[in-house]
Every structure is written in structure tokens, then in C-alpha cells.
Amino acid sequence: MSISVDWSEIQPELIESIAKKLNVHKDYVRFRAVCSNWRKSTSKTPKHLPCQLPWLMLPQTNNQNRQSHLRSFFSLSDNKTYRLSLPEASNIRRRCGSSHGWLVILEETPAVFLINPLTRVKHHLPPLSSFPNVTKFNFYDVGREYTLKTSEGDIYTCNLKEMRDSFIKKVVFSSSPSDSDSDYFALAILNQTGDLAYCKKGDSFWNFIENAQSYCEDAVYHKGSFYAVSKYGTIAVCDVSGVLPIVSYIQTPPQVGGDMQYLVSLDDELLLVTRYLELGFDVDQHQLDIFYKTTEFRVYKLVLNGPKWESLSKLDEWALFVGENSSMAFRSSDFQGCKGNQIYFTDDYSEWNYDGANGDHDLGVYDLEDCSVVALPCYPRKFFNVRRWPPPIWITPSLH
């Protein structure tokens, strides 16, 4: 004799207990979609889910309207492309980083906002007009809306598009902005001056971190502070939790060579990833195209006894993700779709990131064992005849 069970009537405590055993975001979403009772019994923003393998946010294709609200995301874990409604990330706006599953978006206004592509939750950061070196903003002063002051006291102006495209290099967070139980900090790297600026959740303006200028290659939140790296591999440790930021330095011997530097937090270790670029030329239909291509990565581990950067010949089971995103490390054995001892990279050299640049994007997978570069399965070389703006970016899918 069979017994009919109405699964929608399971006790809420049991539903919640089952949901907390799920550790993949899409499984959790499907679980909540079963019925209204299951949905009411589970959190919309679960905190128990582990960090997921990054998705690659793709640029719009030639047959997509520039105003299209749909954006494509490629998942390495299941080798699939998902399309999400995300009008906030249209091509008339620019993103300047992804961190903890959130995109930071700039537009041709002073507004700076962040959005989670999965939950569609949006928050605002202090506006561009609130940076300490912006002395005046007048929307009606067309073509020179922003008045800025250099550290030497010189005055210059910028228009709306220039501020959108070139003022901020990258923004990273200390933790997820969705956590209502605790504060978070945002750190912005400025392109032209090399300054570091920060704000706290709820602030209405940005503050400069004094004595940290030129530590502007990359930054990562590590062991309770922001660590920022210079062109030569020296580190500024910025504790912004107090009334005023406290800056200390890790003066390592200068790294020789390399065009770009990234910092990656790997458990308790801090890694320095050095990227080497090669300038190339391509003549097509009587038009000269100048482009950069990545030729090599080198990885170092910070040794405080010295201090010094110790060269690593391999990463074992770890995979690194670098680019315009906040740099990340993942243990490949925990995920399908990625391999250890490899660096997954996208192009993020700022002078090529804007509308009108030609050539294919410089992204792919670098293998530390044989020093080879292979294309990503969703993005073969020469994917576009004309570079699409903005370039792809890694973002960790998050429901929190």
C-alpha cells in the first residue's frame, strides 16, 4: 500500500535544515522554487553557501543592441552560458571592478553604485564628486563639469565621460555589501594620481589614505586590512577600521621585470602575481592595429622573515583568477570546470578598456607547468573582429 506524501507541507524547520545542506547556488535557487512554502521557509540571501567558482561576464555581441538589458555569463563549472536581465550594466555605463559577487558601476553622472547580478539588489557608494581631489562639480558647466586639484596644487577640469572612463581603476570590498549585520569598507584605486581612497558603509564621501600613493597596482583585503602593491612589489598595509587609517609597509627587495602586478589572498598566505605583456602589430585591410598580449605569469609568496618574495614554480591544486576583478584563489579539487596550477586572466590595462579600441581581448588560461596560454572554451581567439566594450570580467555568483 503506497502512501501519498505532500512534500509542500513539510515542516519549515525540516525544509530549512535540508536547504542548509545545499552548497551550490543553482541548487539552492531551484530548491526555493519548488513551492511557496519551501520559499517562505528558506532565506533569500543564504550565508551558509560557500564561495562559488567565478563566472565570466561577457561583452555584448555584434547582433545585440547597445541598450539591451540582457548580459551573458559563462560558468566554468558546468560549461554553460546564462543570460541575465541586467540593464544597470549596459554599455553606456562602465564597471570598475567586481568583488564578493558585486559589480561596481559608473555612469556619466557622479553616481557610483554596486549591484549583485543574481539578486538585483543595488547599493550606492559616495559619488565621484565627493573625492577629496574634486573641488567642484557643476552639471551645467558642459564639457568641464568636474574641477580637480593635483597634489601639487594645479587645477584642471574633466567632463562626465572622462571621469566615468579614467578616474577610478578598480574598487574592492572588505566583505559582502549585503551583510546587514556588519560594516564593510570599499577601497578605490585612482588611475591618474595613484591615490588610494576608502569609504565605510553608510559614508557620504571618500577619504584618501595618506602616505599610500603609488601603491596602486592592485589591492586585496587580507587579514583585516587592505594590502596594496606598488609597481616594484612593495606593500602598503592599510588598516581603515579606526578613526584615521593606519599605514605600515612591507619593504621587499624590488621585483625586476613584469608589466602588471596582482595581489591574491590564499588562505593565510599573500601571493604576488606578475604579468608580462608583449606589444604586437596587426595590419588588416590597410589599418594598423596595435595590441597587447600576455606572454607569461610569475608567482611569488610573501615571506615575512626578510621580508621577501619567494618564487613559486607551481600552485599545486590552486587556480588563480586575475583581471579587473578582485583577485581570487580557488582549490580546483572543490570545483568542476577548473584545473589547478593555472591562472585564469582577463585584460584590464586601462588605456584599452574603453569604447573604440580594436583587436581581440587578451584573456585565457596560463599553465604554470608548461608556460602555455590557451583560450577559454567560451571565448576563442579572434572572437570578435572589433573589440567589444567593456571587456570580460570575472565575478563570483552570490546570493548574499
Side-chain angles (χ1 to χ4, degrees), residues 366-377:
Y366 182 81
D367 193 316
L368 281 171
E369 183 175 355
D370 60 13
C371 302
S372 64
V373 176
V374 297
L376 289 162

Side-chain angles (χ1 to χ4, degrees), residues 3-14:
I3 300 176
S4 178
V5 178
D6 186 352
W7 294 102
S8 66
E9 297 301 321
I10 298 177
Q11 291 298 313
E13 296 80 6
L14 181 56

Side-chain angles (χ1 to χ4, degrees), residues 38 48 55 87 95 100 107 204 263 265 271 287 294 342 362:
W38 288 26
H48 75 279
W55 285 1
R95 12 137 272 240
H100 294 277
E107 51 191 355
S204 58
L263 289 179
S265 180
L271 303 185
Q287 181 178 352
T294 298
Q342 296 190 332
D362 179 27

